[in-house]
Structure formats: C-alpha cells, structure tokens
Amino acid sequence: MFTTALRPQDLSSLPPDDLVAAIHALKQDLNAVILAHYYQEPAIQDIADYIGDSLGLSRQAAAIDADVIVFAGVHFMAETAKILNPDKLVLLPDLEAGCSLADSCPPAEFAAFKATHPDHLVISYINCTAEIKAMSDIICTSSNAVKIVEQIPAEQPILFAPDQNLGRYVMAQTERDLVLWPGSCIVHETFSERRLIELKVKYPAAEVIAHPECEPTLLRHASYIGSTTALLNYTQTSPQQTFIVATEAGILHQMQKQAPEKQYIPAPPTGPCACNECPFMRLNTLEKLYWAMRDRKPALTLPEEIRQAALKPIQRMLAMSA
Ligand code: 13P
Ligand code: SF4
C-alpha cells in the first residue's frame, strides 16, 4: 500500500510544498525515478531526478534500475523510455501530451514515401511515433544528428524525417544532400525574424542562440545552434552576459538557475501569445504527476512487434553517439 493518498479534490487546498512532499513519498513507495525535459514547467523541473534533452533522457532511460519511470515530457519521449524498458511501468502524467512534429509524420503516408526511396537509409529524429521509428534504420536527436549523418558513407543516400528544419541544418553542416520529410514543430516555427531583429537592435551586445528546429530565416541570426543541453552549456561557458534564446521558454529556468547573473531573453513569437511555450509539454502539471504516481496510470503500452522494431534504430543511435 502507498503511504500517501491525497484525493484529487484535496489538491487545490494543498500548499505547493505538501504536494512536493507527497510526490517524494510516492517516489519512495513506487521505487520510481522522475525524468523531465527542459520544456517542463519550472516546478516539475525542480522535482525531477534527472533533467535533460532528448538524447540525455534516452541515455538515462536506457540505464535506469528503478521499477517505475515517471516521464515528465511528451508522448514520444515516454514511448522511447518504454521501448527501452518493456518490463518497467512508464507513466506519462497526461497522455494527451503529444507533439506537432511527431503528428506531422503519419505512419501510412511515411511508409508510402519511404517506398518511393527504396535505396535510402532512413534516419529519423526521435520526435516521431514508435511506428515511424520501427520503419527507420537509425534514430537521432538534435544533439547527435550531424554526428550520425557524418558516420554514413558519402555514397549512401539518406531519407531524413520528420523535421525539415533540422534536416536542412544537418545538410548545411555535413554538405550532404538529404531527402527530407516536410514536417516541423509549431513552437520553433513561431519565432518572428522581424521582432528578433528589433530585439537585436535593442540589445546590441546580446548573443542569439537557437535550436535547430527553428526555420533557416531564424537560424541565420544565431551565433550558436544546438540542442537544449548544448544551449544551456553554451550560456554557462560563453563570456557573453546577455542571450536571446530561440527555443521553448522552459529552458530559461535552468539557464537562470545555473548562471543567475546573466540575462536571458526569450526570442519573440510572431503574435502576442505565449506560443514559445510548447502546449503539449505544458499539459503536464505537478498535480497530474502526483495523480499518475498515486494511480499508477496513465501508463505507456506498445505492441511488442512495434517495440522490437523501434528498439533497433534507437540502440544504433546510442551506439553511434557513445
Ligand atoms: P532536444 O531535447 O533534443 O533539445 O529537442 C527539443 C525538442 O523539441 C524536444 O521536443
Ligand atoms: Fe514537439 Fe515542438 Fe513541443 Fe518539442 S517543442 S515537443 S518538437 S511540439
């Protein structure tokens, strides 16, 4: 039996510290580990055992010895953890936490596209469904995509899916011609070049740093491009004091924690919305995390043949980026 049993209706009256204490108690009861992506709300980042980018989270998931993985991220991330850990309980606080990029690559259409390129090696960005992974030869993330493509012989044609912006960035870095699936992320395509230029004029000493999921028109203003972990590390090591950060705004929490004396300005979206916050990532809340652990659901499940087929390209990625 679990030692902590708050009812959902009790939560609204709970001081946040009690909720945090309740989650810690459940973690002990379940022998659970909480993995969180940098795009989670700050309160979730602060309670996580490990925070990272997609590659770091996959590496963690591959090495976990807890019984339960609570994945504070989006569906494809929790799914990857489940692919790597079929016998563990993998919980996602909100099953609706999807990804516009993963959704932009439906399996049936992708299978037809792949069939028209039979001699191509398929390299898929980890932001895709298990079905797409199962049709891929190698998975990559934003932190190892260039390194992985560089390891493929020059004469081998490559089909790259689903993010066309990351694909174009990899093409520029490797000077390789890739066939691209035309997918993209709604968050990284929201940044306004015009408003970014206005910000650069206002803060002439600021350095623009960006995630490779951004469009080329945005990336051309960036003096550093990298995954969320790479961007975070860059702000710590760069002598610059002010950064304009073009990725989901959740990463600013870690930047502020690790170097509070510096200034981080989120790159401006096109409209007056908070669209530089991923609406899928932000579906997770501390309350939902608590409920998921208390009720041991929602849990990730996968057909075994898909899981096995999706595991191979993930293992290839981990071996190629060791
Ligand atoms: P990374 O975690 O590789 O930086 O990718 C960001 C992202 O969009 C995850 O959905
Ligand atoms: Fe998907 Fe974009 Fe959200 Fe990342 S930020 S989870 S790519 S919608």
Side-chain angles (χ1 to χ4, degrees), residues 163-174:
D163 188 15
Q164 57 183 332
N165 292 320
L166 176 63
R168 281 197 195 96
Y169 173 72
V170 173
M171 281 169 74
Q173 294 298 303
T174 59

Side-chain angles (χ1 to χ4, degrees), residues 104 124 156 183 218 223 229 252 254 257 267 281 284 306 321:
S104 69
S124 295
Q156 170 63 59
L218 215 290
S223 53
T229 296
L252 269 65
Q254 288 306 315
K257 270 178 101 166
M281 287 275 182
N284 294 324
I306 299 270
S321 50

Side-chain angles (χ1 to χ4, degrees), residues 62-86:
I64 265 165
D65 65 359
D67 297 323
V68 176
I69 299 172
V70 186
F71 213 113
V74 288
H75 194 274
F76 75 80
M77 296 178 169
E79 199 170 58
T80 303
K82 184 66 181 177
I83 292 166
L84 288 160
N85 296 280

Side-chain angles (χ1 to χ4, degrees), residues 51-218:
I51 321 166
D53 68 358
S54 303
L55 180 61
L57 288 165
S58 305
R59 285 188 172 134
Q60 283 293 318
I64 265 165
D65 65 359
D67 297 323
V68 176
I69 299 172
V70 186
F71 213 113
V74 288
H75 194 274
F76 75 80
M77 296 178 169
E79 199 170 58
T80 303
K82 184 66 181 177
I83 292 166
L84 288 160
N85 296 280
D87 300 328
K88 294 190 196 302
L89 180 66
V90 178
L91 301 172
L92 180 64
D94 191 324
L95 267 191
E96 296 299 312
C99 168
S100 65
L101 181 50
D103 289 348
S104 69
C105 192
E109 280 92 324
F110 185 70
F113 186 66
K114 183 184 161 178
T116 60
H117 300 85
D119 55 339
H120 283 54
L121 186 88
V122 178
I123 302 184
S124 295
Y125 188 32
I126 198 162
N127 299 32
C128 64
T129 61
E131 287 85 353
I132 301 297
K133 289 185 176 77
M135 285 186 251
S136 305
D137 297 297
I138 311 172
I139 297 303
C140 70
T141 75
S142 62
S143 52
N144 61 19
V146 170
K147 194 171 165 183
I148 283 179
V149 169
E150 280 173 349
Q151 291 174 63
I152 309 301
E155 63 281 6
Q156 170 63 59
I158 297 172
L159 191 163
F160 189 90
D163 188 15
Q164 57 183 332
N165 292 320
L166 176 63
R168 281 197 195 96
Y169 173 72
V170 173
M171 281 169 74
Q173 294 298 303
T174 59
E175 296 178 2
R176 296 268 306 243
D177 200 17
L178 310 179
V179 172
L180 302 178
W181 175 266
S184 57
C185 157
I186 51 164
V187 179
H188 288 88
E189 288 203 332
T190 200
F191 300 116
S192 153
E193 186 187 13
R194 188 182 60 78
R195 292 185 67 203
L196 177 70
I197 292 168
E198 283 167 11
L199 258 190
K200 282 176 67 174
V201 171
K202 192 168 169 197
Y203 299 93
E207 205 174 351
V208 179
I209 59 173
H211 194 280
E213 283 178 26
C214 294
E215 291 176 298
T217 47
L218 215 290

